[in-house]
Amino acid sequence: MRKWSPLIAVSIGTFMLLVDVTIVTVALPAIAGDLHASLDGLQWVLDGYALALAALLLGAGALADRHGRRRMYLAGTVVFAAASLLCAVADSAGVLVAARFLQGIGGAAMFATTVALLSVTYSGKDRGIAFGVWGAVNGAAAAAGPIVGGLLTEHLGWRWIFLVNLPVSLLALWFTVRGVTESKGRTDARFDLPGTVAFTLGAAAVTYALIRGGEAGWTAASTLTAFGVSAAALVVFVLVERSTDHPMLDLRLFRSASFSTLMVAAVLAQAAAFAYLPFVTVWLQQFLGKGPVDAGLLGALPMSVAAFVVAAFGGRLLQRVAPRWTIGVGLLLVGAGDLLQARLTATSPATALIPGLIVAGVGVAMVLPVLASAALAAAPPERSGMASGAVNTFRQLGFALGVAVFGAVFSHRLAAHRDPRVGVADALDQTLLVAGALALAAGVLVMLFVRRQSGAAPSDGDRVQVRLDPAASGGH
């Protein structure tokens, strides 16, 4: 049992991280009713977590390499648990959003160390077993999140979706202390504080601008100011990353057309596949009268099951096909799935979404596992860790921006109708149309600009890690 304690510790933490993204989705209507949160407030409940993850993943990895991965994982778990308690006792939407940001900080510290901890602990056949189990846990978390969230919200209340993290965190801490040995990477690794601050400010400002623009208007002073701050922060980020010896993200990677396109695909794939699901939950619960459990089953499970089945039975075959075709066709399927769902009327049943969710799930299974390995192949071997972290960073950013963009589309369309039932169906249709268009555009870009790389391919160990990276799980 002691031999597998590191795997258990990492798997428990990873499961908790991924569940905590999807588990919140079905609880949003209950949170809105209890805390009197507006639509933009609910968007920040989702985006606060995703933005913190996106901003700190690469920097947390550098800190873990320098100061110890075990130490970083333990610290991240403690922060995550404390933030979960703050979420559970929040008495306002503002407090809940702040606690979600703190959760994201802890989650980034944990997420950045998982692959490295397993890599240094296991070798040979044991490494294959470890990453196989870990990959299965990732897939299970994506499917279990909406169901667990629905059960807890419906029978105990939405605060329990955060309180349940406390015993899970204690379990992860116990197994980590008991079985994980300390390891370090590059001793010269540095935390790029100026780059991290600039990236965080830029991402948060543009997300705020998108959410604010949907509410106050795109020419409002607050909206334009936020866009200006975001643009300035982006300029600062580029200048900082070009001048430092230890950048959070080496911008020279973007000289490769393949790498740049794959990062765009990571953003758009995450947005098109997952960022509209919170608005599906609103339609299912507030206008069709479904409970949180049914909303979880109908709104997310078909996609998760389809993705899991395709990945389980076709994953090895997909890795043998050129990435431009696997990722490109997968994105086209995600787009087709979104468009299949965009046929709602005021009388549509909840099951109307299922065919489109299944098609999108097949596309997700084709895109996400191969996306990470393709990014590694498009980067120099010495930057493979940064390339892998960049994929997860841009995916989280895609989810945050997607929620903001789709929220603006949804609220604008909803305001144009007097009948809320007709308005919500039409607003969700428009949201799905935008999501589908983004996925289709991304698919075309990938097929045009991603090429097979002539550089060194990742090692066998890297291949196992990439295929079973959290990016392959279908989770957020």
Side-chain angles (χ1 to χ4, degrees), residues 74 99 160 247 268-269 350 354 361 432 434 464 475:
L74 287 170
W160 279 91
L268 297 183
I354 291 178
L432 287 162
V434 174
V464 174

Side-chain angles (χ1 to χ4, degrees), residues 91-116:
D91 58 359
S92 68
V95 173
L96 180 57
V97 170
R100 287 285 283 171
F101 269 104
L102 187 59
Q103 258 193 326
I105 294 173
M110 298 170 67
F111 204 32
T113 60
T114 51
V115 170

Side-chain angles (χ1 to χ4, degrees), residues 52-369:
L53 275 176
L56 297 175
L57 263 176
L58 290 170
L63 280 178
D65 284 344
R66 186 180 186 190
H67 298 289
R69 293 151 180 161
R70 177 180 182 268
R71 181 181 300 173
M72 181 65 72
Y73 188 78
L74 287 170
T77 305
V78 170
V79 171
F80 191 92
S84 296
L85 180 59
L86 289 176
C87 289
V89 300
D91 58 359
S92 68
V95 173
L96 180 57
V97 170
R100 287 285 283 171
F101 269 104
L102 187 59
Q103 258 193 326
I105 294 173
M110 298 170 67
F111 204 32
T113 60
T114 51
V115 170
L117 284 174
L118 293 181
S119 295
V120 300
T121 303
Y122 301 105
S123 60
K125 182 179 179 181
D126 287 345
R127 177 181 287 184
I129 293 173
F131 277 101
V133 171
W134 184 61
V137 167
N138 292 335
I147 300 173
V148 174
L151 288 169
L152 291 172
T153 302
E154 193 164 313
H155 298 293
L156 295 175
W158 66 266
R159 296 181 188 275
W160 279 91
I161 67 176
F162 300 111
L163 287 173
V164 74
N165 289 335
L166 301 183
V168 177
S169 295
L170 288 175
L171 201 58
L173 289 170
W174 187 79
F175 276 105
T176 303
V177 171
R178 180 175 182 268
V180 177
T181 57
E182 187 59 277
S183 63
K184 296 183 180 180
R186 292 170 48 199
T187 57
D188 64 340
R190 298 288 189 274
F191 181 60
D192 179 13
L193 180 60
T196 300
V197 171
F199 184 85
T200 304
L201 180 60
V206 73
T207 303
Y208 175 82
L210 292 169
I211 293 175
R212 185 64 180 166
E215 179 185 7
W218 300 106
T219 58
S222 56
T223 304
L224 295 176
T225 299
F227 276 126
V229 170
S230 177
L234 177 61
V235 171
V236 171
F237 175 73
V238 170
L239 294 175
V240 167
E241 297 307 284
R242 293 182 63 180
S243 62
T244 182
D245 293 331
H246 301 278
M248 180 180 81
L249 181 60
D250 190 344
L251 299 181
R252 289 175 296 181
L253 290 171
F254 292 92
R255 294 176 182 174
S256 163
S258 291
F259 186 85
S260 298
T261 303
L262 290 169
M263 293 305 102
V264 172
V267 172
L268 297 183
Q270 194 74 6
F274 303 113
Y276 66 85
L277 293 177
F279 308 101
V280 169
T281 295
V282 171
W283 177 65
L284 289 171
Q285 292 192 53
Q286 294 190 350
F287 292 89
L288 296 190
K290 301 296 180 182
V293 175
D294 288 339
L297 291 171
L298 292 166
L301 191 60
M303 180 191 292
S304 296
V305 170
F308 180 80
V309 170
V310 173
F313 292 99
R316 187 177 297 274
L317 176 62
L318 292 175
Q319 290 289 333
R320 297 174 182 171
V321 180
R324 63 184 295 200
W325 299 115
T326 306
I327 299 172
V329 172
L331 282 165
L332 295 181
L333 286 174
V334 171
D338 292 347
L339 297 180
L340 276 175
Q341 296 174 70
R343 299 177 295 113
L344 302 176
T345 67
T347 58
S348 294
T351 54
L353 297 175
I354 291 178
L357 286 169
I358 292 174
V359 173
V362 174
V364 165
M366 295 177 65
V367 173
L368 298 187

Side-chain angles (χ1 to χ4, degrees), residues 378-437:
E382 66 273 13
R383 287 293 190 226
S384 60
M386 183 178 288
S388 179
V391 172
N392 284 328
T393 295
F394 279 89
R395 284 189 60 217
Q396 297 299 333
L397 186 60
F399 179 74
L401 294 177
V403 169
V405 170
F406 297 157
V409 173
F410 187 88
S411 59
H412 176 75
R413 197 69 179 185
L414 182 61
H417 293 271
R418 293 183 178 180
D419 185 341
R421 191 177 182 89
V422 175
V424 166
D426 182 53
L428 187 53
D429 272 351
Q430 294 300 313
T431 302
L432 287 162
L433 286 173
V434 174

